[in-house]
Amino acid sequence: MKYGSLVFVKNDFKEVKKCLERNKYIEDYSHKDVLEVFQGNLATALVVEADDMPQDVVRLNSMVTVSSIFGWEKIFQVVRPKDACTENERFSLCSKIGASVLGLSEDDVFQYGSPADSISLKIVKVDHYHDELKGAMEIENLPV
């Protein structure tokens, strides 16, 4: 890990803790394993104020580009569980992929998949521009 541990903004950290608490009794064992590792990593996570957050760290609502050694790339967004929509490449922070990348940064490599079939993926790019766009869209959609 580039920063030595996972890095979170305070609000994201609270959201992650709530999500993990709600998913405590999940039955999907491979998903449960990912969440247990994620929860273990939270014990050593660095929690910072929004102004101190490095721009290359994956946080809630980040657009994340990952690549594999096989040459393919995938772009997706990490969101709160209520905003997840796999058809639109929006994955919950408590999904396997969301829990795998949240708090990591550009150039970090992580394992994804079941233990027998896991692959190494690299975070190529992290974008936060959508936060500004989302705020603008909410303002535009206010009733007049």
Side-chain angles (χ1 to χ4, degrees), residues 28-31 33-34 96 111-120:
D28 172 4
Y29 293 106
S30 63
H31 188 187
D33 288 344
V34 169
K96 288 182 189 182
Q111 296 299 308
Y112 180 72
S114 64
D117 295 323
S118 72
I119 59 170
S120 292

Side-chain angles (χ1 to χ4, degrees), residues 45-92:
L46 177 62
V47 181
V48 299
E49 297 292 335
D51 293 341
D52 298 327
M53 183 68 157
Q55 286 299 304
D56 64 344
V57 173
V58 178
R59 56 189 291 190
L60 276 174
N61 298 315
S62 293
M63 295 297 293
V64 183
T65 304
V66 297
S67 66
S68 77
I69 60 170
F70 304 111
W72 58 261
E73 284 191 352
K74 178 89 169 162
I75 300 172
F76 59 92
Q77 186 175 22
V78 180
V79 297
R80 288 176 175 79
K82 68 181 181 75
D83 297 324
C85 177
T86 55
E87 292 83 26
N88 292 331
E89 306 300 327
R90 296 170 56 120
F91 297 100
S92 165

Side-chain angles (χ1 to χ4, degrees), residues 15-60:
E15 190 73 31
V16 167
K17 296 289 262 184
K18 282 193 290 187
C19 185
L20 289 172
E21 186 62 31
R22 279 184 248 136
N23 286 291
K24 190 187 284 188
Y25 303 106
I26 197 162
E27 293 294 326
D28 172 4
Y29 293 106
S30 63
H31 188 187
K32 186 175 182 171
D33 288 344
V34 169
L35 294 178
E36 285 175 355
V37 168
F38 190 39
Q39 188 159 16
N41 288 339
L42 290 179
T44 60
L46 177 62
V47 181
V48 299
E49 297 292 335
D51 293 341
D52 298 327
M53 183 68 157
Q55 286 299 304
D56 64 344
V57 173
V58 178
R59 56 189 291 190
L60 276 174

